[in-house]
Amino acid sequence: MKRILPLIIIYLTIASTLSAQQIKISGKVVDKTNAQPIEYANVTLLQSDSTFVKGVNSDANGLFDIVNPTGNYLVSISYMGYETSYVPVQNPATDSNLGNITLEPSSVALNTVTVTAQSVIDKADRKLIFPSESQIKTSTNGLDLLQQLQLPRININPIDNSITTSGRGEVQLRINGALTTNEEIRAITPSDIIRIEYHDDPGARYGSASAVLDYIVRRRESGGNIHGDLMNIIGSTGFAEDNLSVKVNHRKSEFGMNAYWGYRKLEWTRTNSETFNFPDRTLHRNEIGEPTLFKYNNLNLALNYSLMEADKYFLNVTFRNSYNNSPNLYTNRNSSITTSDNSVPLSISDLSSEKTNIPSLDVYYQRNLKKDQLIIVNVVGTYINSKNNRIYEEWRDEKPITDIQSHISGDKYSLITEGIYEKKTEKGKFTTGLKHAQVFTRNEYTGNTIAEVAMNLAETYVYAEYQFQKGKFNYVASLGGIRSYYSQGEDVEERYSFRPSARVTYNISDKTFVRYKVNIWGNTPSLGDLNAVEQIIDSLQIRRGNPNLRMSQGYSNNITAGYDKGMFGVDLFLQYNYQRNPVAETILFEEGKFIRTYENQKAHHQLGGELTLRFRPIKDRLTIAFTPGINRYISEGSNYTHTYTNKYMRLSIDGNYKNWVANFMIYTPWDYFYGETLESGERIHSISFGYNKPNYSIILGSFNPFGGTYKRNDQNWSAMIPTQSKVYTENLTQLIYIKASFNVNFGRQFKGGDKRLNNSDNDSGIMSSSK
């Protein structure tokens, strides 16, 4: 007993000493852009030689603590999609609280991270979407992966691969921040995609875009990649969507080439019912069309060089050339028309062709400065050469009645420059920018109409935006203004438009949010509408431009709410858009002819809402998305008021197992009513099944496999020329296609590039003479 007591005393003394030397290191992990806590961040305690000591995860409030003996340590904090942060701890004598440790979203590749389930991080201005391992594994390209993610309000047309928001809104596509093309998205290898940043409510920097999809992809340090993606029809219908891309890397440099070929050859049939209300009589015309050829070839080429030093600068130079040859346009028709004023049918032939060639050079430079500052400069020069030919003929009893020929040769030169400054603070972000476009267009009209039109357009956009966080609320306010200068001969116009906007987001939890946005915007009339030219449409109608059109002003309000957790997700979108003095078609009667021109009308209202329900019963193996929606249009013209209601729905089912993939989708038409014109949407259903491996894939699919006619029904509600038009084809029904891809990689070291913007110009400025 006498020996045991001293041993107990010695043991307690040592234990007490060791306990006294234990300290607690604590802190809070937060997102740098919005100060929101980051749950489940990896907090690792390292010795000074980087030897692992122990690790913990932050809790739901971003808090953590680690208990360990005193000494010199390095605390490493990391989380998927963020830059890793390191905080040194120098032999503290007492417990050490590191305070808020901020993490910033990263564009560096997640080489060692495997995402087992699709992950979404809600930011104040965007969603960070991390595809799962199975989604990457079973996708063939960047567009295919986007389909599997089933993002709310994003629609992908399976026939032409176009990407739009609900209501045909513009979607800006970007790669590492750079505005890019649909073809270049389809050239991305899925395994190179780190994440997709979805701006479902873009800020002032993105102009009039309804949504922005920014693919953050890996940048290689050595080796290269060859990727091909081919989709072709089995059968006689001409249909192809083929991509080939090559990238080669050497240290800080990257050389790239992307080529795209799109081909269509099929037949459309048109039927029209028209009524011409003359001052003294009424003429009815019923048109029965014959199958008429529609054909085009598109070839796009992009050559790219970039030079980057991580976290310092990024230089990117891209030469693009877009060539389109359409010997048979979609508007072509061969028809027989019965008229109420003659028992002998009228035969017509309306055939048009078009060629465009658009080379452009894009130079981009980004410089990262100290104290979280960023400067971006982008200069894009574009030349558009276009040729359009139309021959319209009418005859009765084999006797010619009308012969109209129109030949248009156009040249357009544009220079678009943009500069952006960005400064991040602990609680917010300030962004300001200036964008200027200088455009010169010269169009020569020959045939029945002879004219030469030269137009100059200068447009300057200046904006400033500030975003900050306070509690669970995030606020964004922006001010912007546009100056437009336009001249055509002696006609000179100068217009100004004010573009303020405000947005507030309430994050109820990390899985639920509600957002409200209001903004004012302006629309400049297109160069084609501003042309002071008349073109003959047919024996009864003339198309006329209007140089006196004014800029229209728009006001929009929308509410967005979302919830996403586990296997269930729901998104609600409500909007009300009001446009004052919108530019829309007006029909006049002058000297025995109906004149189709453009005027500023009174107002246009659009009220709409849609609900997206997502269900993932087997994680990312099976995803079902269902979206019902409704739109209400009110169009007020100078002498009319029209209302129209459209109900629609979308259903998409994506499944995958190991290397097998399957997809089914169905869309009912989204109709758009503007002015006095109702443009019908498309009714589409498709199904596909295939096998996908990292280096190759093959998929078999069908467009409209269950029958039915692929058609469009359009109407004009004008009191002078009410029209109902139907366009349909049998070539896109029960159409079987095969899609194959291949991917060859060498050199697997990656580093993220970070280009933030780009500009392009594809509007030729030609006024069409067709209806």
Side-chain angles (χ1 to χ4, degrees):
M1 184 67 181
K2 291 182 179 180
R3 293 182 178 180
I4 294 176
L5 184 58
L7 291 175
I8 293 175
I9 295 172
I10 293 172
Y11 172 79
L12 291 175
T13 302
I14 294 174
S16 176
T17 302
L18 291 174
S19 177
Q21 293 176 344
Q22 295 281 319
I23 64 166
K24 181 172 72 173
I25 301 173
S26 60
K28 182 178 182 180
V29 185
V30 298
D31 185 298
K32 187 172 185 178
T33 61
N34 61 14
Q36 287 289 313
I38 298 177
E39 185 179 9
Y40 300 122
N42 298 311
V43 183
T44 305
L45 195 64
L46 306 173
Q47 292 183 357
S48 57
D49 60 358
S50 297
T51 302
F52 175 83
V53 178
K54 63 168 58 176
V56 297
N57 293 111
S58 59
D59 63 17
N61 297 314
L63 300 172
F64 70 88
D65 59 65
I66 302 178
V67 177
N68 213 65
T70 59
N72 295 328
Y73 296 101
L74 192 65
V75 180
S76 170
I77 304 95
S78 62
Y79 188 68
M80 181 181 63
Y82 288 82
E83 298 278 3
T84 300
S85 181
Y86 298 95
V87 180
V89 179
Q90 302 294 330
N91 197 25
T94 60
D95 291 349
S96 179
N97 189 329
L98 304 180
N100 287 352
I101 301 173
T102 58
L103 298 186
E104 184 171 3
S106 170
S107 60
V108 178
L110 308 175
N111 294 323
T112 61
V113 176
T114 298
V115 183
T116 58
Q118 179 180 327
S119 177
V120 179
I121 299 175
D122 283 306
K123 313 298 293 179
D125 56 349
R126 64 199 187 282
K127 297 177 183 290
L128 307 183
I129 301 164
F130 297 88
S132 69
E133 181 184 21
S134 65
Q135 289 171 330
I136 292 289
K137 183 179 178 181
T138 54
S139 299
T140 59
N141 57 44
L143 185 66
D144 190 39
L145 176 62
L146 181 64
Q147 172 59 46
Q148 290 203 41
L149 296 177
Q150 295 186 346
L151 302 180
R153 296 179 57 224
I154 296 297
N155 306 322
I156 302 173
N157 187 314
I159 293 180
D160 62 12
N161 291 313
S162 61
I163 306 172
T164 59
T165 63
S166 300
R168 306 180 190 179
E170 176 197 356
V171 176
Q172 284 190 11
L173 299 174
R174 296 173 179 262
I175 298 177
N176 290 335
L179 189 64
T180 188
T181 64
N182 188 294
E183 294 80 23
E184 290 171 23
I185 292 295
R186 279 183 275 164
I188 301 176
T189 304
S191 59
D192 285 349
I193 298 172
I194 302 170
R195 67 178 183 269
I196 296 177
E197 298 191 355
Y198 177 28
H199 301 251
D200 62 337
D201 191 8
R205 154 185 314 190
Y206 303 104
S208 59
S210 298
V212 176
L213 294 170
D214 192 358
Y215 286 72
I216 307 301
V217 302
R218 295 177 172 89
R219 178 185 174 92
R220 305 166 189 268
E221 291 182 340
S222 61
N225 170 267
I226 302 174
H227 177 81
D229 193 83
L230 314 172
M231 184 175 75
N232 293 270
I233 294 300
I234 300 175
S236 59
T237 299
F239 190 107
E241 296 276 340
D242 298 337
N243 278 278
L244 176 66
S245 68
V246 180
K247 290 183 179 180
V248 178
N249 297 78
H250 179 67
R251 296 182 179 177
K252 298 179 182 180
S253 295
E254 179 178 89
F255 303 85
M257 183 278 293
N258 184 74
Y260 161 79
W261 177 54
Y263 174 68
R264 296 290 189 275
K265 184 181 180 182
L266 47 96
E267 292 182 332
W268 291 98
T269 303
R270 297 177 179 272
T271 64
N272 289 299
S273 175
E274 300 174 301
T275 299
F276 293 85
N277 291 311
F278 289 84
D280 57 347
R281 62 188 175 95
T282 298
L283 173 65
H284 299 288
R285 291 167 43 127
N286 291 315
E287 176 181 350
I288 304 298
E290 300 174 1
T292 305
L293 182 64
F294 165 58
K295 181 180 178 181
Y296 73 73
N297 274 283
N298 285 348
L299 180 61
N300 297 337
L301 178 68
L303 302 176
N304 173 263
Y305 170 74
S306 65
L307 179 68
M308 186 191 79
E309 184 172 347
D311 301 323
K312 289 188 177 181
Y313 63 83
F314 183 52
L315 173 66
N316 190 83
V317 180
T318 303
F319 171 78
R320 292 185 176 93
N321 192 82
S322 176
Y323 173 75
N324 172 266
N325 181 15
S326 299
N328 307 92
L329 291 182
Y330 170 77
T331 56
N332 285 5
R333 56 192 176 134
N334 290 292
S335 306
S336 176
I337 299 179
T338 59
T339 64
S340 61
D341 63 345
N342 197 313
S343 60
V344 180
L346 181 70
S347 297
I348 68 167
S349 175
D350 187 358
L351 304 177
S352 298
S353 63
E354 184 178 54
K355 283 186 180 181
T356 60
N357 193 55
I358 309 176
S360 66
L361 182 63
D362 174 350
V363 180
Y364 170 97
Y365 181 71
Q366 172 188 319
R367 183 74 182 185
N368 296 334
L369 306 176
K370 296 179 180 179
K371 298 181 180 180
D372 291 321
Q373 297 179 95
L374 175 70
I375 292 179
I376 299 172
V377 178
N378 186 213
V379 180
V380 181
T382 305
Y383 167 65
I384 301 178
N385 175 256
S386 57
K387 298 182 184 301
N388 184 290
N389 297 291
R390 178 177 182 245
I391 298 176
Y392 178 87
E393 296 175 319
E394 295 180 358
W395 62 92
R396 272 197 178 100
D397 285 335
E398 299 182 355
K399 296 179 181 179
I401 298 175
T402 302
D403 184 7
I404 299 171
Q405 295 192 25
S406 173
H407 309 286
I408 310 171
S409 177
D411 294 289
K412 180 181 178 183
Y413 305 85
S414 68
L415 182 66
I416 301 175
T417 60
E418 184 169 10
I420 292 176
Y421 169 77
E422 182 177 279
K423 167 65 177 176
K424 294 181 181 179
T425 63
E426 188 172 323
K427 293 186 178 182
K429 180 173 66 176
F430 172 75
T431 305
T432 184
L434 184 147
K435 181 177 180 179
H436 179 76
Q438 193 74 40
V439 181
F440 173 74
T441 302
R442 182 182 297 278
N443 296 323
E444 183 178 349
Y445 296 78
T446 58
N448 294 74
T449 298
I450 299 177
E452 184 172 320
V453 179
M455 295 182 289
N456 286 284
L457 176 68
E459 186 170 270
T460 304
Y461 175 44
V462 181
Y463 65 88
E465 182 176 84
Y466 184 66
Q467 170 188 311
F468 66 96
Q469 181 85 20
K470 188 173 183 180
K472 292 188 175 183
F473 286 89
N474 181 272
Y475 303 91
V476 178
S478 69
L479 293 175
I482 292 181
R483 173 191 178 268
S484 294
Y485 173 85
Y486 165 79
S487 68
Q488 181 177 190
E490 296 181 357
D491 295 323
V492 177
E493 291 286 340
E494 188 174 10
R495 308 178 181 98
Y496 294 86
S497 175
F498 186 47
R499 287 191 177 182
S501 70
R503 182 178 70 213
V504 58
T505 304
Y506 176 55
N507 296 298
I508 300 172
S509 69
D510 60 339
K511 303 296 182 182
T512 310
F513 75 94
V514 177
R515 181 176 63 231
Y516 171 73
K517 180 180 179 180
V518 57
N519 70 302
I520 301 174
W521 43 273
N523 274 345
T524 302
S526 70
L527 293 180
D529 295 345
L530 290 166
N531 265 333
V533 173
E534 285 190 354
Q535 287 187 279
I536 302 173
I537 297 176
D538 54 31
S539 57
L540 299 174
Q541 303 175 85
I542 293 174
R543 170 73 64 191
R544 176 190 294 169
N546 183 0
N548 299 316
L549 293 174
R550 307 185 310 276
M551 178 183 292
S552 62
Q553 199 76 26
Y555 309 84
S556 67
N557 296 264
N558 64 65
I559 296 175
T560 309
Y563 171 83
D564 197 317
K565 186 175 183 181
M567 68 173 62
F568 182 73
V570 58
D571 287 90
L572 175 67
F573 179 73
L574 303 173
Q575 67 172 344
Y576 168 62
N577 294 328
Y578 167 72
Q579 190 173 357
R580 180 167 56 88
N581 301 131
V583 174
E585 186 181 62
T586 289
I587 300 178
L588 310 172
F589 185 79
E590 296 178 2
E591 300 179 355
K593 300 287 186 178
F594 291 91
I595 311 298
R596 306 183 83 110
T597 187
Y598 302 94
E599 289 183 352
N600 289 96
Q601 308 296 336
K602 289 183 180 179
H604 182 265
H605 309 258
Q606 179 183 356
L607 298 91
E610 69 174 39
L611 182 70
T612 299
L613 304 172
R614 291 182 306 280
F615 186 52
R616 295 180 286 266
I618 316 176
K619 292 186 177 179
D620 295 313
R621 298 295 183 185
L622 178 64
T623 306
I624 303 170
F626 175 66
T627 302
I630 187 171
N631 276 308
R632 174 72 170 174
Y633 299 99
I634 304 172
S635 181
E636 299 179 78
S638 55
N639 56 4
Y640 62 81
T641 297
H642 301 302
T643 61
Y644 180 75
T645 301
N646 168 232
K647 299 176 183 178
Y648 63 94
M649 74 82 159
R650 299 188 303 272
L651 173 66
S652 180
I653 302 174
D654 282 279
N656 64 80
Y657 178 71
K658 293 185 177 179
N659 295 106
W660 297 95
V661 295
N663 169 264
F664 170 76
M665 67 172 63
I666 182 169
Y667 293 170
T668 62
W670 173 296
D671 298 339
Y672 185 69
F673 192 90
Y674 188 83
E676 295 189 283
T677 302
L678 172 61
E679 296 182 11
S680 173
E682 301 169 295
R683 185 184 301 274
I684 303 173
H685 54 277
S686 69
I687 191 169
S688 64
F689 180 77
Y691 185 78
N692 188 73
K693 293 281 285 184
N695 293 329
Y696 69 91
S697 71
I698 185 165
I699 293 174
L700 187 68
S702 176
F703 298 133
N704 301 314
F706 306 116
T709 302
Y710 185 87
K711 61 184 179 180
R712 294 281 301 273
N713 293 314
D714 298 333
Q715 299 178 27
N716 188 293
W717 292 8
S718 164
M720 301 196 74
I721 314 178
T723 305
Q724 291 191 16
S725 174
K726 179 181 177 182
V727 184
Y728 61 92
T729 180
E730 301 294 338
N731 298 142
L732 295 177
T733 299
Q734 297 180 330
L735 199 63
I736 306 299
Y737 69 85
I738 187 168
K739 182 178 178 182
S741 68
F742 64 88
N743 187 59
V744 180
N745 293 309
F746 52 95
R748 301 297 295 178
Q749 292 183 338
F750 298 110
K751 184 171 291 186
D754 191 19
K755 183 179 177 184
R756 297 296 181 89
L757 61 91
N758 201 346
N759 297 287
S760 61
D761 183 8
N762 294 289
D763 179 7
S764 65
I766 289 177
M767 181 180 68
S768 173
S769 61
S770 63
K771 290 185 180 182

